[in-house]
């Protein structure tokens, strides 16, 4: 059994740690309330943006635009991944779960360029040999739409120059305070299969109205020209989805950290109780030993 001094030191150390985890939990709770409200307010806009662009493409027939059409290419296709993680740890499996979407997915080290938003994710993929372009870690402190525009310009520029052929977005969806879902979505380009799926979804949704009558279906008309219109809309679509992902990631990070600190505090309290019991046992043993020695000494004198 450990000595009373060792048990006391360990209990004091855990008590200090418990105070830190309690404080971090309170801070994360306050930040979560703000981030949660922001995510819930902005989510409808970004959902509608994706729905609108999907509806346009599903009714546009064969769309010919460099940002939407897959390039014919021999060999492996270069992939770009916007990886949204956090700048700090102590958030349970939040960062590792989002990194696994890349490292355990169909993204080889040689054919993948990562655009990291968050220091933890960047450090993890760099250790595994992935190429990182840029560093947008400061964005996670307070994401703004201008930050999403900056990231979007960099990624679109890489796509237009042929540096990458596909763009993916890896982030954590904020469902509620305790549920956060690591998600990987493809932003650009849209394959013919993607457009066909959009067409089927649009037909299923609009084939019948409230009265059961079939609605009219017509191809999308563009004014000005198709290429010019899509040149404005596609970057806005990219920027909107990136900003929505940033806002949800911040809420998810604080929710994950709050849960992690709550668990750490509960574990610390449990360990303190166990160490208190061990300390009392050790103290009782020492007292018993001392009394035994006193009685034995008195008997020897007699």
């Amino acid at each position: 059994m450990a000595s009373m001094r060792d048990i006391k030191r360990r209990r004091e150390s855990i008590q200090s740690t418990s105070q830190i985890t309690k404080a971090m939990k309170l801070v994360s709770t306050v930040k979560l309330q703000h981030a949660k409200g922001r995510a819930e307010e902005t989510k409808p806009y970004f959902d509608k943006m994706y729905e609108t662009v999907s509806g346009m493409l599903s009714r546009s027939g064969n769309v010919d635009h460099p940002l939407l059409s897959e390039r014919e290419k021999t060999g492996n296709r270069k992939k770009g991944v916007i990886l949204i993680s956090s700048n700090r740890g102590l958030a349970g499996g939040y960062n590792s779960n989002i990194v696994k979407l890349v490292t355990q997915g169909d993204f080889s080290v040689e054919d993948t360029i990562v655009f990291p938003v968050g220091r933890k994710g960047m450090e993890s993929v760099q250790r595994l040999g992935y190429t990182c372009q840029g560093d947008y870690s400061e964005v996670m402190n307070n994401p703004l739409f201008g930050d999403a525009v900056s990231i979007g310009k960099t990624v679109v520029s890489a796509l237009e120059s042929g540096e990458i052929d596909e763009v993916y977005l890896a982030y954590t969806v904020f469902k509620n305070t305790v549920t956060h879902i690591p998600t990987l979505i493809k932003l650009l380009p849209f394959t013919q299969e993607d457009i066909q799926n959009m067409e089927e979804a649009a037909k299923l949704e609009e084939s019948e109205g409230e009265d059961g009558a079939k609605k009219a279906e017509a191809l999308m008309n563009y004014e000005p020209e198709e290429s010019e219109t899509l040149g404005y809309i596609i970057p806005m679509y990219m920027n909107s989805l990136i900003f929505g992902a940033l806002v949800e990631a911040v809420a998810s990070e604080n929710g994950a950290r709050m849960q992690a600190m709550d668990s750490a505090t509960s574990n610390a309290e449990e360990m303190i109780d166990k160490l208190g019991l061990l300390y009392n046992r050790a103290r009782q043993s020492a007292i018993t030993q001392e009394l035994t020695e006193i009685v034995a000494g008195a008997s020897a004198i007699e």
Side-chain angles (χ1 to χ4, degrees):
M1 181 182 293
S3 66
M4 292 173 57
R5 180 181 297 178
D6 292 337
I7 296 174
K8 187 176 181 181
R9 285 177 178 173
R10 189 179 178 195
R11 187 173 64 173
E12 290 174 351
S13 175
I14 294 174
Q15 286 174 336
S16 299
T17 303
S18 176
Q19 291 174 353
I20 295 172
T21 56
K22 281 181 181 178
M24 292 185 67
K25 177 189 172 184
L26 292 174
V27 172
S28 296
T29 302
V30 174
K31 288 184 176 181
L32 173 62
Q33 296 307 314
H34 174 72
K36 178 183 177 183
R38 192 180 183 192
E40 290 175 346
E41 289 173 1
T42 56
K43 185 175 178 60
Y45 170 78
F46 303 113
D47 289 345
K48 181 59 68 174
M49 173 63 76
Y50 182 79
E51 181 184 332
T52 301
V53 173
S54 300
M56 288 176 55
L57 294 177
S58 66
R59 293 167 181 78
S60 298
N62 294 324
V63 180
D64 184 17
H65 192 277
L67 292 179
L68 295 177
S69 304
E70 280 194 316
R71 303 186 185 95
E72 293 185 4
K73 185 174 181 179
T74 58
N76 295 331
R77 301 179 64 82
K78 288 282 188 178
K79 299 177 181 179
V81 183
I82 304 171
L83 181 66
I84 302 178
S85 59
S86 69
N87 291 331
R88 297 180 297 144
L90 300 177
Y94 172 78
N95 290 304
S96 61
N97 289 336
I98 198 68
V99 169
K100 285 178 183 177
L101 292 178
V102 177
T103 59
Q104 297 183 5
D106 188 23
F107 298 93
S108 64
V109 175
E110 299 80 11
D111 300 319
T112 302
I113 296 177
V114 178
F115 300 87
V117 186
R119 192 170 297 112
K120 289 297 180 181
M122 180 178 66
E123 291 172 352
S124 296
V125 295
Q126 281 181 335
R127 281 196 298 269
L128 296 172
Y130 285 87
T131 300
C132 291
Q133 184 169 317
D135 181 4
Y136 305 96
S137 300
E138 296 303 319
V139 171
M140 296 308 295
N141 295 332
N142 184 29
L144 301 174
F145 190 77
D147 299 322
V149 172
S150 177
I151 298 170
K153 283 182 178 179
T154 303
V155 176
V156 169
S157 176
L159 188 63
E160 291 177 331
S161 66
E163 190 176 354
I164 57 177
D165 301 304
E166 300 174 355
V167 180
Y168 293 83
L169 178 63
Y171 70 108
T172 306
V173 173
F174 179 81
K175 188 172 183 181
N176 53 51
T177 304
V178 297
T179 305
H180 321 110
I181 307 170
T183 305
L184 179 71
I185 61 174
K186 184 179 180 180
L187 295 181
L188 293 173
F190 291 106
T191 63
Q192 195 61 36
E193 183 181 352
D194 295 332
I195 295 177
Q196 287 176 357
N197 291 335
M198 292 176 186
E199 291 176 353
E200 292 174 1
K203 288 178 181 179
L204 182 64
E205 184 176 329
E206 297 188 357
S207 60
E208 294 187 358
E210 293 181 358
D211 55 356
K214 286 194 173 184
K215 293 186 177 180
E217 298 178 6
L219 290 176
M220 181 69 63
N221 292 323
Y222 289 94
E223 180 65 34
E225 292 298 321
E226 178 181 289
S227 60
E228 185 177 350
T229 303
L230 292 174
Y232 286 110
I233 293 176
I234 298 306
M236 179 62 71
Y237 154 81
M238 281 273 294
N239 300 337
S240 298
L241 263 64
I242 292 171
F243 182 61
L246 290 172
V247 172
E248 290 206 36
V250 171
S252 299
E253 176 193 347
N254 285 291
R257 183 169 291 110
M258 184 189 74
Q259 288 184 62
M261 293 301 99
D262 182 58
S263 298
T265 302
S266 298
N267 292 336
E269 290 174 351
E270 193 175 315
M271 291 180 68
I272 289 170
D273 291 340
K274 289 181 179 180
L275 289 172
L277 183 60
L278 288 174
Y279 180 82
N280 290 334
R281 286 178 179 174
R283 182 168 174 269
Q284 185 63 45
S285 177
I287 293 172
T288 303
Q289 179 68 25
E290 187 174 346
L291 289 174
T292 302
E293 292 175 354
I294 292 173
V295 171
S299 299
I301 292 174
E302 293 177 359

